[in-house]
Amino acid sequence: MTALLVILLIVHALSALFWAGTTLTLARMGAAGAGLLQFARPQAGAAAVTILAGIGLWGVAHRGPPSGGEWVLSIGALCALAAAGLQHGMAWRAARRAPADPGAGAAFARGQRLAAVLLSLAMIAMVTFRYA
């Protein structure tokens, strides 16, 4: 059980780091980051791995009635899910139509910026849940 917990935690943390890191970088670059649309697929993969590993962690580590920290983690998880939804709906769709649509870079940047805010909240929840 402990080995599974450690593996899930490592996978969750590393994929979340890549997902949040690329999101924050692309959000900062704005429409100038339109040349970096090749990050859309790896970002989507990292988001999926992060979410699946988070579900696995929840199933392994959290049993019984929820504590204050688990409520904080729940809010962080909802923020991460919302970020993935925003990125799918705005940024990654724009990345697919980028070669044909000159306005796709701006839509991609907008989606990344909104997701960056939500992922920042999710990261804050992951770091502070022990203190709730």
Side-chain angles (χ1 to χ4, degrees):
M1 179 76 107
T2 304
L4 177 62
L5 183 66
V6 170
I7 290 168
L8 284 172
L9 189 59
I10 289 170
V11 169
H12 183 68
L14 291 178
S15 59
L17 180 65
F18 178 80
W19 180 23
T22 56
T23 300
L24 292 167
T25 300
L26 292 171
R28 176 71 178 109
M29 294 179 77
L36 297 175
L37 296 177
Q38 69 268 15
F39 278 113
R41 277 200 179 110
Q43 228 181 14
V49 170
T50 300
I51 291 167
L52 291 174
I55 291 169
L57 275 170
W58 192 273
V60 169
H62 302 284
R63 303 216 191 282
S67 65
E70 288 170 332
W71 285 109
V72 172
L73 281 177
S74 297
I75 292 168
L78 289 174
C79 287
L81 289 170
L86 272 171
Q87 283 179 317
H88 175 71
M90 294 177 74
W92 300 331
R93 276 196 189 153
R96 279 186 292 222
R97 65 174 204 269
D101 184 5
F108 181 79
R110 226 178 358 265
Q112 295 292 347
R113 284 187 189 114
L114 292 170
V117 171
L118 290 167
L119 287 176
S120 296
L121 292 172
M123 288 187 295
I124 290 167
M126 283 194 318
V127 172
T128 62
F129 83 95
R130 292 182 182 262
Y131 306 108

